[in-house]
């Protein structure tokens, strides 16, 4: 449960968008022929998802590494938002539904692809709370970039099992309400594994119990709302060490062979947390603590249990990620995946179509981290280096209700859009307060892009909607057209953009005496004593392109992230 009112509001907004049917010019839309019933079930927030509000999960799962087999029970507590006789949960079709109980009463159910529609013999009443036990078992699929749930061996030949299922969905390994809008407000997680292994999961470790059959149950309690894909199993021969930051515990779990390297590399966790605390406020999951857990893939932002596979080296997989000599000064995975604790886990997108709220903001937090630790100039250099990664092939907000993952531009273009907004605000005192207050106002909520726009518009008392639309819902980057007239000593200027009302201030002239202009999509004229050769645009402060013309000649200037001279 994040907010029933938000869930209802986003349902209405999605319905309006569906009725309108048309995407703005420059925005790609999925055609009906491309949409399958499985797509609709995966991404839609249908009646039987929307009629209830999650309160709590109590998941017990037994993992058999030799057979690659899982079995368990999820006790699901929920409140009805409307009278009904059916609700919906999800479980991949290859896994068996063993039984579903309401108290001692077996419930009937129907399956369609990965959806499980659960029927009750009597009407469930609005406002009342109910609880069911969902028993299941089977051999889960190993699929997707990180495996979904993967049964591997570590370099020493020991069992090493991990879950990472943001794209595949939580129902690949446990029965859940597998969507992004509604989250359980808390969760208990018990993981039964062979005695020789250790499980590290989300939340606070409560204790372990030897079950007497060769298995030990590891118990974790999650005290905060959590998205189902964030629920994580990490099972292996883990060793533990830790430290504290005031009342916050920092716990690290690595393979025995990695201990010495981890003690050195994980020293970066504290200054990273201190940097994000500075900008946004205290770490959002203090009761559950912060964890870094070694895994055999690059990493993932599992809430309070960040997974790490970056080879205990700076950069990203030992590469200079942004190519300007800065990302080699810090561990990219520690910084980026942990940034998601603030944006992704505390502030979450309510639909995958708005995933830029998670990935664009987390990438921007990387830039703020660099600025905080290494200074403004390096922060600017690091941020602008992301321009080379942007493709601008499609909008970064995808069609809602289909669970189509946005393009990778959601990371880089999303971050550069926020960087651009900072320059639009043009007052760092206001900007730092704005983004901190935005985070605090939306902490532990699931939000849509419309919520971001509304907050920024209200706080700044200006309509930034055309800017959000151009950068997030359109493909093209706004182009500043400049037309020089040497005889009259002026330059005409305007924006070329898909949004007809696009108007964005930008700094031009000379770097030692910038002049702020506010172009629109209509021509304006600026008197200038600066010669054509010396006229600059502060393209390191904005993500734009610039097109210059003089007389009949026009030249499209390449933008590499630094101030652009016209020659």
């Amino acid at each position: 449960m994040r907010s029933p009112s938000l869930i209802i509001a986003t349902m209405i907004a999605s319905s309006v968008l569906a009725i309108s049917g048309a995407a703005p010019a420059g925005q790609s839309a999925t055609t009906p022929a491309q949409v399958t019933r499985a797509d609709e079930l995966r991404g839609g927030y249908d009646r039987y998802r929307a009629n209830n509000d999650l309160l709590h999960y109590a998941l017990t799962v037994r993992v058999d590494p030799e057979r690659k087999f899982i079995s368990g029970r999820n006790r699901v507590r929920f409140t009805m938002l409307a009278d009904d006789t059916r609700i919906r949960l999800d479980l991949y079709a290859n896994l068996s539904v063993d039984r579903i109980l309401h108290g001692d009463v077996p419930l009937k159910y129907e399956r369609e692809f990965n959806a499980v529609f659960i029927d009750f013999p009597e009407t469930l009443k609005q406002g009342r709370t109910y609880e069911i036990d969902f028993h299941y078992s089977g051999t889960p699929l190993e699929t997707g970039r990180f495996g979904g749930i993967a049964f591997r061996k570590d370099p020493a030949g020991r069992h090493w099992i991990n879950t990472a299922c943001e794209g595949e969905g939580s129902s690949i390994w446990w029965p859940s309400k597998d969507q992004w809008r509604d989250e359980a407000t808390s969760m208990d997680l018990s993981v039964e594994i062979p005695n020789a292994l250790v499980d590290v999961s989300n939340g606070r470790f409560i204790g372990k119990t030897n079950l007497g059959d060769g298995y030990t149950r590891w118990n974790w309690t999650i005290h905060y709302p959590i998205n189902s894909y964030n629920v994580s199993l990490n099972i292996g021969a883990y060793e533990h060490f830790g430290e504290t930051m005031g009342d916050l515990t920092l716990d690290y779990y690595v393979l025995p062979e990695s201990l010495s390297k981890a003690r050195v590399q994980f020293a970066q966790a504290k200054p990273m947390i201190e940097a994000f605390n500075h900008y946004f406020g205290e770490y959002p999951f203090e009761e559950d603590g912060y964890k870094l857990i070694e895994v055999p893939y690059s990493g993932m932002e599992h809430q309070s249990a960040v997974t790490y596979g970056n080879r205990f080296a700076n950069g990203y997989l030992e590469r200079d990620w942004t190519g300007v000599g800065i990302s080699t000064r810090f561990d990219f995975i520690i910084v980026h995946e942990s940034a998601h604790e603030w944006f992704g886990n505390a502030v979450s997108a309510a639909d995958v179509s708005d995933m830029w709220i998670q990935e664009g903001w987390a990438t921007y937090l990387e830039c703020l981290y660099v600025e905080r630790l290494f200074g403004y100039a390096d922060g600017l250099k690091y941020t602008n280096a992301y321009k080379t990664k942007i493709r601008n092939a499609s909008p970064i907000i995808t069609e809602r209700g289909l669970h189509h993952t946005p393009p990778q531009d959601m990371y880089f273009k999303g971050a550069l859009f926020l960087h651009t907004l900072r320059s639009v605000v043009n007052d760092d005192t206001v900007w730092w307060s704005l983004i901190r207050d935005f985070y605090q106002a939306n902490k532990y909520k699931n939000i849509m892009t419309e919520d971001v726009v509304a907050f920024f518009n209200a706080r700044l008392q200006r309509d930034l909607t055309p800017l959000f639309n151009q950068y997030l819902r359109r493909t093209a980057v706004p182009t500043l057209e400049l037309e020089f007239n040497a005889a009259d000593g002026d330059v005409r200027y305007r924006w070329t953009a898909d949004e007809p009302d696009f108007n964005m201030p930008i700094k031009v002239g000379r770097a030692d005496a910038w002049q702020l202009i506010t172009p629109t999509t209509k021509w304006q004229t600026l008197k200038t004593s600066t010669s054509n050769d010396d006229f600059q645009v502060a393209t390191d402060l904005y993500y734009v392109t610039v097109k210059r013309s003089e007389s009949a000649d026009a030249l499209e200037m390449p933008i590499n992230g630094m101030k652009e001279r016209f020659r």
Side-chain angles (χ1 to χ4, degrees):
M1 169 181 156
R2 286 285 182 128
S3 168
S5 61
L6 174 64
I7 294 169
I8 293 169
T10 51
M11 285 174 58
I12 294 170
S14 296
S15 299
V16 170
L17 288 171
I19 292 168
S20 67
Q27 177 176 345
S28 61
T30 304
T31 63
Q34 296 172 293
V35 177
T36 67
R37 175 61 175 159
D39 288 332
E40 293 173 343
L41 287 170
R42 175 74 176 96
Y45 207 70
D46 59 29
R47 166 182 169 181
Y48 301 113
R49 279 177 163 172
N51 67 6
N52 67 90
D53 182 27
L54 282 174
L55 297 178
H56 186 77
Y57 289 129
L59 174 64
T60 299
V61 58
R62 174 169 284 220
V63 181
D64 185 336
E66 295 294 340
R67 296 170 58 207
K68 299 184 178 180
F69 188 86
I70 60 176
S71 58
R73 179 218 67 192
N74 189 17
R75 178 165 290 169
V76 184
R77 189 184 313 142
F78 57 94
T79 296
M80 292 301 291
L81 301 178
D83 290 358
D84 219 328
T85 58
R86 168 178 276 199
I87 66 167
R88 173 188 163 189
L89 294 175
D90 303 278
L91 184 70
Y92 265 44
N94 64 295
L95 296 175
S96 298
V97 178
D98 296 332
R99 62 191 180 279
I100 303 175
L101 303 175
H102 180 215
D104 295 328
V105 178
L107 299 177
K108 295 180 180 180
Y109 59 88
E110 294 180 1
R111 305 192 72 173
E112 185 179 5
F113 295 100
N114 298 331
V116 183
F117 296 96
I118 303 167
D119 293 310
F120 293 79
E122 297 179 351
T123 299
L124 305 182
K125 296 295 186 179
Q126 179 181 353
R128 290 189 57 184
T129 298
Y130 299 87
E131 197 169 77
I132 62 171
D133 288 340
F134 191 129
H135 296 259
Y136 75 108
S137 60
T139 301
L141 292 174
E142 294 189 34
T143 186
R145 181 182 177 193
F146 299 140
I149 178 171
F151 292 81
R152 301 183 178 98
K153 296 290 184 71
D154 69 18
R158 301 164 299 215
H159 288 295
W160 203 8
I161 303 159
N162 312 92
T163 62
C165 54
E166 181 180 36
E168 297 74 32
S170 55
S171 56
I172 196 171
W173 69 272
W174 63 288
S176 49
K177 192 174 181 180
D178 192 359
Q179 43 66 62
W180 287 24
R181 297 188 188 194
D182 191 14
E183 299 183 4
T185 56
S186 60
M187 182 172 180
D188 292 301
L189 176 58
S190 297
V191 184
E192 299 175 1
I193 54 176
N195 290 338
L197 298 174
V198 172
D199 172 68
V200 188
S201 289
N202 317 80
R204 182 68 63 182
F205 179 57
I206 302 302
K208 61 181 181 176
T209 303
N210 190 316
L211 300 177
D213 60 354
Y215 276 69
T216 294
R217 180 186 297 134
W218 296 74
N219 298 310
W220 302 84
T221 291
I222 301 157
H223 296 88
Y224 302 87
I226 185 168
N227 191 300
S228 60
Y229 74 73
N230 260 318
V231 178
S232 176
L233 307 182
N234 298 282
I235 300 165
Y238 285 113
E239 298 282 351
H240 168 258
F241 68 100
E243 56 184 333
T244 59
M245 288 180 64
D247 294 330
L248 176 64
T249 56
L250 285 71
D251 292 289
Y252 310 121
Y253 295 86
V254 298
L255 298 179
E257 298 80 6
S258 303
L259 263 174
S260 60
K261 294 179 291 185
R263 289 185 186 277
V264 174
Q265 196 70 7
F266 288 2
Q268 296 187 39
K270 266 191 175 180
M272 172 272 301
I273 292 173
E274 288 169 350
F276 296 150
N277 285 354
H278 167 77
Y279 289 113
F280 297 101
E282 296 303 308
Y283 176 76
F285 305 109
E286 184 176 293
E287 284 191 67
D288 289 348
Y290 169 84
K291 293 184 282 294
L292 275 177
I293 308 157
E294 183 181 3
V295 293
Y297 59 90
S298 58
M300 186 66 189
E301 66 264 23
H302 298 127
Q303 183 172 307
S304 76
V306 175
T307 52
Y308 173 90
N310 203 36
R311 304 174 184 169
F312 302 98
N314 285 354
Y316 177 47
L317 299 176
E318 301 179 81
R319 291 181 285 131
D320 183 352
W321 175 234
T322 53
V324 291
I326 295 174
S327 57
T328 52
R329 301 184 205 168
F330 64 93
D331 193 307
F332 173 84
I333 288 296
I334 291 177
V335 173
H336 178 88
E337 301 305 340
S338 299
H340 281 302
E341 294 282 59
W342 283 261
F343 286 90
N345 300 342
V347 177
S348 305
D351 190 274
V352 72
S353 61
D354 287 313
M355 200 170 171
W356 80 276
I357 295 171
Q358 304 185 169
E359 297 298 354
W361 276 89
T363 304
Y364 185 60
L365 264 63
E366 293 170 33
C367 304
L368 297 184
Y369 166 87
V370 171
E371 180 172 338
R372 179 72 176 167
L373 267 69
F374 306 120
Y376 176 78
D378 280 347
L380 198 60
K381 186 177 180 182
Y382 183 88
T383 303
N384 278 282
Y386 270 130
K387 290 178 178 177
T388 62
K389 295 182 181 293
I390 299 174
R391 297 294 173 260
N392 286 321
S394 61
I396 65 175
I397 294 179
T398 55
E399 187 172 353
R400 288 183 177 154
L402 298 177
H403 205 86
H404 287 174
T405 301
Q408 284 202 341
D409 281 2
M410 65 178 167
Y411 292 80
F412 320 124
K413 191 174 182 178
L416 281 157
F417 170 54
L418 294 169
H419 173 65
T420 299
L421 282 182
R422 177 180 175 180
S423 298
V424 169
V425 171
N426 198 31
D427 182 328
D428 274 354
T429 300
V430 173
W431 177 249
W432 300 136
S433 176
L434 175 67
I435 62 174
R436 185 186 186 94
D437 291 350
F438 169 72
Y439 165 77
Q440 292 292 339
N442 291 286
K443 185 167 60 174
Y444 313 132
K445 292 181 182 179
N446 299 68
I447 63 173
M448 310 287 259
T449 298
E450 289 84 346
D451 299 304
V452 186
V453 177
F455 186 92
F456 275 58
N457 285 351
R459 277 295 301 271
L460 296 172
Q461 291 295 294
R462 59 197 294 186
D463 185 11
L464 296 174
T465 307
L467 277 66
F468 278 88
N469 286 346
Q470 183 65 45
Y471 281 95
L472 304 179
R473 301 183 187 277
R474 308 286 190 168
T475 300
V477 178
T479 296
L480 180 63
E481 288 192 74
L482 298 170
E483 191 176 275
F484 292 90
N485 187 326
D488 293 341
D490 62 35
V491 56
R492 294 207 309 156
Y493 59 90
R494 72 175 180 183
W495 287 115
T496 298
D498 298 301
E499 287 292 313
D501 296 326
F502 187 81
N503 63 94
M504 185 174 81
I506 191 166
K507 293 179 179 180
V508 299
R510 299 197 322 267
D512 60 348
W514 288 124
Q515 186 169 356
L516 189 67
I517 60 173
T518 304
T520 67
T521 55
K522 300 183 184 303
W523 285 109
Q524 300 178 60
T525 301
L526 172 70
K527 286 289 185 182
T528 178
S529 60
T530 305
S531 70
N532 296 0
D533 287 344
D534 292 329
F535 195 91
Q536 300 174 342
V537 179
T539 54
D540 54 349
L541 303 181
Y542 309 84
Y543 180 46
V544 299
T545 58
V546 179
K547 184 177 181 180
R548 170 187 183 256
S549 65
E550 188 171 5
S551 301
D553 299 324
L555 175 65
E556 181 87 28
M557 301 300 293
I559 301 302
N560 295 315
M562 302 306 293
K563 292 182 287 291
E564 198 63 35
R565 287 179 60 91
F566 300 111
R567 296 183 283 275

